[in-house]
Amino acid sequence: MLHTEFRMRRAFVIIALVLAACATPREPVDAGPILHAAGPVAPEIAAEDGSAISALSLEDARALALQRHPDVLVTESTLRRAEARLAEARAAFRPTLELGGTGTLNDDAASFEMPGAGPFTIRPRWQHQWTAGAGMSLFAFGRDKATEASARHERAATEHDLAATKAELLEDVTIAWHRVHAASGHVGVVEETLKLSEQQVTEATALVDAGQRTRDTLLTAAVDLLARRQDLVVARNALIHARRVLNTLLARSVDAPTELAPAPAPQHELAPLAEVLRAAEEHQPTLLALRRRREAALLARESILKGALPELSLQLNARHDGTPTFGSPATSGDLSLALRWLLVDGGRRAAQAAALHADAVGLDARERSAILRLHADISRAHLDHEEARSALELARQGALAAEENHRIVQERVRAGTLTAREELEARRALAAARHEITEAAFRMASARAQLERLSAAATPPRP
């Protein structure tokens, strides 16, 4: 009995030593940490935020959107899934340990007497057996290494997808933030115009009562006042919608109070178009993701094709029989080298390799198509920015001219050579010119935000 226990312990000690010797990967591959039954990780989705925010700068708005928007959490969960698949591919470089046990209840025991040696059991009533096995693939002609490289490229492609999602979100937040400023400025212009219309109605009423004007003058002024009130309703609704869009991008309640910091001065200079196009082809996340996925498909195809080559593995087994029969030891073990070679698999490898090759060709075509669209979009955004910059300069010059015209009209009204109606029209022209400045600045900021996304030139906001 003591000899049996010693042999069993010796077999399990051999297994432990072999596992320790096989712990180092046979190829120079970073296998990463071993996952032990890792449970699902649920992303923390922020609750709906209805608190008030004051002086929200553009940089803070962009950082808040990246931190809380669900689209970013979705892409991050996809990245974690790709990391788990990479860990699964790296597990091929580590040994495996398998434990098992069986118990058998026979209908009857079988034994016999050997003269001079006593009784021997051939078939016991109850017998149980414990097994332990350790195995490791020693050489597979680079098949598992190609699989690991394919998973690594797929993980990198998912990282580029995350960068593309963030870039699109930053563009939307930037445009929405500037849209709130533009809508707020438009409301101010309409409110000023409404005050001028109310003043015109008051002056027209006084002139009609004094008999200096006919009643149609008052009716015209009243209709103009109603039109300006309708403009104010439209402008305020546009401001409300712009705030709601911004709150939605920030993962806040649509009507949460959000006050913005002053808008920065517009940036006028752009890099040359050829330089922007070159930077986009090198750093645009969507293009990088397509390239990585094409490499992943080619490596997966290589792994499939190498499946036609043999695989050499090491296997160490130990067994302990709780009720050994005649002629069989209670504890036994064996160390073996196994060569497996699947010569014919019915065409499965060829079909899988053909499918992966088709995927790689399709990804290459998608990349070329994306480059063509990228060139067209960048060229259009570049032209829009230059057009908006020109419109901004024109609007500023128009505002200066409108201010000078309004000053001259005021002097002539005080001198009695012009009526209050001419002064009202001059004020409206000045308000419209100021509104053109706001709209041109918004169009320029929107074009710049689009260029930043398309060329991957957006500066990541601070956390």
Side-chain angles (χ1 to χ4, degrees):
M1 183 65 182
L2 293 176
H3 179 67
T4 300
E5 292 180 356
F6 173 75
R7 293 181 61 189
M8 179 181 66
R9 292 175 181 173
R10 183 180 62 182
F12 280 99
V13 168
I14 293 174
I15 292 178
L17 292 177
V18 171
L19 288 176
C22 296
T24 303
R26 65 185 183 283
E27 298 184 45
V29 175
D30 181 15
I34 301 178
L35 301 180
H36 296 282
V41 180
E44 296 183 1
I45 300 178
E48 191 175 71
D49 183 12
S51 61
I53 295 181
S54 58
L56 179 65
S57 65
L58 176 59
E59 194 71 12
D60 291 337
R62 288 154 62 98
L64 184 61
L66 292 181
Q67 178 184 357
R68 306 186 56 171
H69 200 276
D71 287 351
V72 177
L73 298 178
V74 170
T75 313
E76 287 177 348
S77 65
T78 306
L79 176 60
R80 286 193 292 270
R81 186 172 183 268
E83 290 174 347
R85 287 187 175 274
L86 178 58
E88 179 184 0
R90 286 171 172 171
F93 297 91
R94 297 192 181 93
T96 60
L97 175 63
E98 182 179 0
L99 301 176
T102 59
T104 305
L105 180 63
N106 299 312
D107 56 350
D108 198 4
S111 60
F112 68 95
E113 288 280 345
M114 180 175 287
F120 286 91
T121 301
I122 301 177
R123 185 168 178 263
R125 174 75 173 174
W126 167 258
Q127 56 187 126
H128 59 275
Q129 187 180 65
W130 304 99
T131 60
M136 182 176 181
S137 176
L138 297 179
F139 189 68
F141 291 91
R143 177 167 60 247
D144 43 12
K145 187 175 181 180
T147 301
E148 187 270 342
S150 176
R152 182 159 27 88
H153 279 284
E154 183 61 32
R155 179 189 179 278
T158 310
E159 288 182 337
H160 294 310
D161 289 340
L162 178 60
T165 300
K166 291 182 176 181
E168 292 177 0
L169 183 60
L170 291 178
E171 178 192 8
D172 293 340
V173 171
T174 301
I175 294 176
W177 192 87
H178 284 285
R179 180 75 267 180
V180 172
H181 270 289
S184 178
H186 185 47
V187 168
V189 170
V190 174
E191 288 177 345
E192 182 180 355
T193 307
L194 177 61
K195 292 179 180 179
L196 298 177
S197 296
E198 292 174 348
Q199 180 182 353
Q200 181 185 12
V201 170
T202 302
E203 294 175 353
T205 301
L207 292 174
V208 170
D209 292 341
Q212 299 178 5
R213 294 289 189 274
T214 58
R215 186 168 177 80
D216 63 322
T217 303
L218 178 58
L219 293 176
T220 302
V223 171
D224 183 75
L225 176 61
L226 293 177
R228 300 291 78 76
R229 287 176 178 173
Q230 178 63 22
D231 290 345
L232 182 60
V233 172
V234 173
R236 286 176 175 173
N237 287 343
L239 177 59
I240 292 174
H241 178 68
R243 292 185 185 277
R244 287 175 174 174
V245 170
L246 180 60
N247 281 331
T248 301
L249 293 172
L250 300 181
R252 290 165 47 81
S253 301
V254 291
D255 291 320
T258 305
E259 299 297 331
L260 306 185
Q267 301 179 17
H268 295 273
E269 297 301 326
L270 279 182
L273 179 59
E275 182 179 340
V276 176
L277 292 175
R278 183 173 58 254
E281 290 188 17
E282 294 178 358
H283 305 293
Q284 220 282 333
T286 302
L287 295 180
L288 295 179
L290 290 173
R291 292 166 188 165
R292 287 286 194 168
R293 286 197 168 91
R294 183 179 66 246
E295 294 297 326
L298 293 175
L299 287 169
R301 178 176 179 270
E302 179 184 349
S303 176
I304 292 295
L305 293 177
K306 288 182 176 179
L309 301 175
E311 179 182 6
L312 181 65
S313 60
L314 176 69
Q315 188 71 28
L316 175 63
N317 297 312
R319 291 173 297 276
H320 173 69
D321 196 340
T323 53
T325 57
F326 176 73
S328 63
T331 302
S332 62
D334 59 79
L335 178 65
S336 60
L337 288 174
L339 182 66
R340 298 181 180 88
W341 195 352
L342 181 60
L343 293 177
V344 180
D345 67 344
R348 294 179 180 86
R349 284 192 296 261
Q352 293 173 358
L356 290 170
H357 177 71
D359 290 342
V361 172
L363 289 168
D364 185 68
R366 286 178 58 189
E367 180 188 352
R368 293 197 299 269
S369 176
I371 289 176
L372 293 176
R373 290 196 304 270
L374 187 65
H375 280 212
D377 293 341
I378 289 179
S379 300
R380 179 69 263 179
H382 203 278
L383 291 175
D384 290 343
H385 184 275
E386 296 303 311
E387 180 182 337
R389 183 174 66 174
S390 176
L392 179 59
E393 295 298 328
L394 178 61
R396 287 174 174 171
Q397 295 298 324
L400 293 176
E403 290 176 357
E404 180 64 18
N405 180 64
H406 180 254
R407 184 187 63 80
I408 295 173
V409 169
Q410 280 184 322
E411 292 179 354
R412 292 182 179 181
V413 168
R414 285 193 292 266
T417 58
L418 294 177
T419 63
R421 185 176 185 87
E422 281 76 8
E423 183 182 4
L424 176 61
E425 293 298 331
R427 289 179 180 175
R428 287 179 181 171
L430 177 58
R434 291 172 177 172
H435 175 63
E436 286 298 325
I437 294 177
T438 303
E439 285 298 315
F442 168 71
R443 292 197 303 271
M444 192 166 64
S446 299
R448 180 175 287 274
Q450 186 179 12
L451 277 174
E452 287 179 350
R453 175 183 63 84
L454 293 173
S455 62
T459 303
R462 65 179 184 275

